[in-house]
Structure formats: C-alpha cells, structure tokens
Amino acid sequence: MTDPASEADHTAPGGSAAPAAPGGPAAPAASAAPADHAFEDSHAAVRVIEDRDEYLRAVAAIGAGHGPVAVDAERASGYRYSQRAYLIQVFRRGAGAFLFDPIAIGDFTELQDAIVDEEWLFHAASQDLPCLQEVGLVPTRIFDTELGARIAGFPRVGLGAVVEQLLGITLAKAHSAADWSTRPLPQSWLVYAALDVELLPDLRDALAAALDEAGKSRIAEEEFAAVLTRAPKPPRAEPWRRLSGMHALRGARALAIARALWTARDEYARATDVAPGRTIPDAAIVAAAAASPASKAELGALKAFTGRASRSELDRWWAAVDEGRTTEDLPKLRGSGEATLPPPRAWADRNPEADRRYKAARAAVVARAEELDLPVENLLTPETLRLVSWEPPTPIATETVGAVLASHDARPWQVEETASRIAHAFVAAGQALAAESNTGS
C-alpha cells in the first residue's frame, strides 16, 4: 500500500505536476516531460498486502474513502496458462493505494461489499473484469478511461499516452509485459502497479469533462454499461487450427499430427500453468507435423522441434505424433470455422447485391464516424454491418434496420446514429443496381 499523503509532492521531470492531493485537481504541464523514470523514482515505497488482518484494515480504509474506486489487475499473460490475477490494485481518494496478493488473500467478499455500489474506474476494463470476477470482485458501474479516450477521439489511448495528454505526466511504462506471478515482486514493478490506479481518478475527471464538452457523455455511459453486460465469446470449435504457420501443412495426416500435438501441449500447459508457447512453440508443432517422424528418435533429432519442454517431455510429444500418424479420425482439410459470412472480398462474386449494400453502407458509416470524431469500429462493429448487409430486413427502412442492429447488440445511440444512414444506403444501392440492369437489358 502507499500513504495517500505521500502522493501529493511528486513532480514529474520538466515540472509536470502530479495530482496536488488525493481528490485535488491535476496541473497539466505546458509540454510533455522527457521519458525517464524520475516520476516513478519519486514515489514512496510500495508493499503488497498478503495478510488477511491487514487486508481487512485496508478494506475499512477504502470503505471510509470518498469518490470512485480505481481498480486494476496484473496477470502473467505469456508466462502462465491461466489468466488469473496475480496482483490487484485499488485506490480511493482519502484512503490511498493498496496492492493485494489475490493468491494469498483468496476471498475478497469484504472488499466487494465495501465498494459494490460505487463507480469503479478502469483502463481497458474488459481485460481485467474476467480475472476480477474469479475472485468475487464484480462492479455494477464503471468508467473506462481507455474506452472513454476512444470515444473522445484521442489518437492514442494507452494509459501512458492519455495520462500525458490530460495530466501532463509522463510515465515510463516498463513492466506491462512482466511476469506478475514472480515472487517477491520487485519494488519498481510495484510502483508501476500503484501508479496505474493512483492517477485514474484525476484522469476520469479530465476525461469526463472532455466527453461532456464534446457532447459524448451519453455515448460513454452506454458503452461503459455495455462492457458489463457483454457475453464472453464462445470457445472455438477447432482452436488448434489457429496455430501459426498452419498454411504450410499439406494433407489431412499432417493436420491430424498438428491437432494431436496442439492438444497434448494444451493439456500439459494447463496442468503446469505455463503458457503453451513456452513449452513448445507453434513453429515446432508445425515442423513436426510436416516431417511426420516415424519414431521418437526421429522426432528428437528434428532440429526444428524446439522449445523448453521439447526434449524433457519428448515421450509426451511422440505419443501425440504417433496418435496423429495412426488415427482414423482425420480432420477436414478446411475447418468449419466460426465465421458466419464469407469475407467481404468474396461478396462481389457470391452475392453482388450484398456487396453493393455493404460498400454503400460502410461509406455512410465511415463518414458519420469522421463527423463524430469516433473510431468507426466504435460507432458500429464491422461484423454487425456485414450481417445486416448480407441479409437485410424486409422492408428496408430505418425502423427495420434499427431493429436488426439492436438484435446484434448495437446500443441505442449507435442505432440512432447509423440505422437511417444504412437504410438510405441500402435503398440507393438497390436503385443503382436496378438501373444498371435496365440499361444492360
């Protein structure tokens, strides 16, 4: 944890000031500070709470604080198989910053009860919500500074970029890809983690003001609410087909070996909680599948079969190769895939009418996104636009198009901004195609 009083005196290089005090206004610098560690180095020492009694005292302090609650979580993506949180950071004005070891704490019921009715602040909430939910931390209201920056039209929306633009503080983001399952965690990492939440309340206030000035507060509110209700993507039917380099394999037998090796690797990685690519990489699986070695010795002699566990678990990998070489359950050369529609580049041949509709509607949506100073994918997802273009409602009208968009989880503001434009684009595309047909006849 950090002492809230100690956060008032930190000044970034070049004179850019940190928040004057918990809850106080930030003073942006006239120019960006040079990228170094001086701001982080000025931070007070940080420690991790691992003891339950200390955790309960921290919860009491957080509950007695005021204003929204900044929350962040650090995982060990690329190092561990699981996406569990290995560090949870919480900051609230009047309380300070607290860093919790969720492995040691275990149950966060008390913290959930203390802050459930408050607004929780995140940067890229969708990345943290699943692992927080695993430990019982589930918000009912959020403000997402990354999503808010997108809606506000910022060209760069990473935390460091948004903090620098709005608060005048330059952070050295040196540990974002660190192995947060490391114990003990280095002090420099802990300072990085603390700053991720300490700056969020002031960042939230500055972004809220920018959104309000741009007339986008309602848009942001609907988008934040949608993050909380968005259903997780269903698991892929054949995840092994996403191996890098699969295009180099020829024949169903090679695919069967790749499938068996991918499955064996996934099972081993899950059991040992190691990221799959840190056992044997995709390239090793593809190389073994292409070579189809006839024995364990041949597999072990294959130079392209690399990875930390390539030799220590050779029996495991050979069993998978042998299974792939002998199975009668051969995979299809092409997977069924998860996509419901062909790629747009194929539409002109497969469905010319849909192609015309899609191109006309996309141009209209892109134009409106530019007018609103929004990324086009935030105005309407490409998949939603493709779905309604491929199979439009009958009759084509603002109301019917809007109903289809809403059925694909478009928010009310998105329907209001796009339904009429898409309907008009569809009608115009149909009229142009009919005119061309009449001319040709």
Side-chain angles (χ1 to χ4, degrees):
M1 62 175 286
T2 61
D3 178 359
S6 71
E7 294 154 17
D9 301 324
H10 301 318
T11 301
S16 56
S31 59
D36 59 32
H37 294 271
F39 182 72
E40 284 85 345
D41 289 346
S42 70
H43 197 285
V46 183
R47 58 190 176 84
V48 179
I49 294 174
E50 303 170 317
D51 174 80
R52 189 143 192 91
D53 288 340
E54 190 175 3
Y55 155 76
L56 292 174
R57 289 194 292 272
V59 169
I62 294 167
H66 56 89
V69 182
V71 183
D72 190 25
E74 306 294 349
R75 299 174 302 281
S77 301
Y79 296 91
R80 298 291 182 177
Y81 184 93
S82 73
Q83 290 300 305
R84 71 183 303 175
Y86 285 94
L87 188 71
I88 294 174
Q89 308 101 279
V90 178
F91 174 83
R92 195 174 191 189
R93 289 165 173 162
F98 300 86
L99 276 60
F100 301 104
D101 182 344
I103 312 300
I105 300 300
D107 182 12
F108 281 82
T109 299
E110 297 85 0
L111 179 58
Q112 170 72 10
D113 292 343
I115 63 176
V116 64
D117 295 325
E118 306 297 336
E119 179 183 75
W120 296 19
L121 311 182
F122 293 91
H123 191 81
S126 60
Q127 297 180 18
D128 293 330
L129 289 175
C131 67
L132 291 172
Q133 187 173 11
E134 286 184 5
V135 298
L137 293 174
V138 183
T140 55
R141 260 188 317 136
I142 68 168
F143 189 106
D144 186 332
T145 54
E146 190 264 356
L147 184 52
R150 289 184 186 278
I151 295 167
F154 285 26
R156 296 186 300 145
V157 297
L159 180 60
V162 181
V163 164
E164 184 171 333
Q165 181 167 340
L166 289 180
L167 303 185
I169 296 171
T170 299
L171 299 175
K173 302 287 286 182
H175 307 298
S176 58
D179 179 4
W180 289 92
S181 66
T182 299
R183 293 296 185 271
L185 288 164
Q187 181 62 206
S188 62
W189 296 16
L190 298 178
V191 170
Y192 161 92
L195 287 171
D196 271 2
V197 287
E198 288 173 11
L199 299 174
L200 283 185
D202 290 303
L203 192 61
R204 178 247 185 258
D205 290 348
L207 263 175
L211 290 165
D212 186 59
E213 184 177 352
K216 295 178 177 178
S217 295
R218 178 202 164 195
I219 292 175
E221 289 171 3
E222 290 188 16
E223 290 301 290
F224 297 160
V227 171
L228 293 178
T229 58
R230 187 172 298 137
K233 292 183 178 180
R236 293 183 178 275
E238 295 179 304
W240 59 273
R241 288 188 184 271
R242 292 183 61 82
L243 282 165
S244 299
M246 280 284 287
H247 62 278
L249 297 181
R250 298 290 181 265
R253 185 60 62 188
L255 294 180
I257 296 173
R259 178 182 63 188
L261 276 169
W262 184 93
T263 302
R265 182 183 70 173
D266 191 68
E267 291 172 351
Y268 176 65
R270 184 190 299 270
T272 57
D273 195 20
V274 174
R278 298 179 74 83
T279 60
I280 53 173
D282 286 6
I285 291 178
V286 171
S292 186
S295 67
K296 182 172 70 173
E298 283 189 26
L299 176 62
L302 187 63
K303 290 184 178 180
F305 190 68
T306 60
R308 299 182 180 184
S310 60
R311 300 305 181 272
S312 61
E313 294 293 323
L314 191 59
D315 287 344
R316 180 187 304 273
W317 312 133
W318 166 244
V321 170
D322 190 47
E323 177 189 340
R325 282 170 48 86
T326 59
T327 183
E328 296 180 2
D329 179 24
L330 293 174
K332 295 179 180 179
L333 294 180
R334 291 185 176 276
S336 56
E338 281 76 25
T340 58
L341 300 176
R345 64 179 178 273
W347 287 25
D349 293 327
R350 297 184 59 175
N351 190 338
E353 294 85 357
D355 184 58
R356 286 292 191 96
R357 286 192 296 266
Y358 174 69
K359 288 176 178 175
R362 176 165 171 73
V365 171
V366 168
R368 185 55 179 157
E370 291 175 351
E371 293 170 357
L372 293 171
D373 193 19
L374 283 170
V376 65
E377 63 272 15
N378 287 104
L379 177 55
L380 192 66
T381 66
E383 179 67 11
T384 298
L385 184 56
R386 287 194 291 267
L387 287 167
V388 71
S389 300
W390 185 264
E391 191 173 350
T394 303
I396 293 175
T398 298
E399 293 76 14
T400 57
V401 169
V404 173
L405 297 179
S407 73
H408 292 297
D409 296 327
R411 268 70 73 193
W413 77 269
Q414 293 175 315
V415 173
E416 292 173 13
E417 293 290 351
T418 63
S420 176
R421 291 171 173 80
I422 292 172
H424 282 92
F426 283 178
V427 171
Q431 291 171 344
L433 191 60
E436 289 178 13
S437 299
N438 292 334
T439 302
S441 62

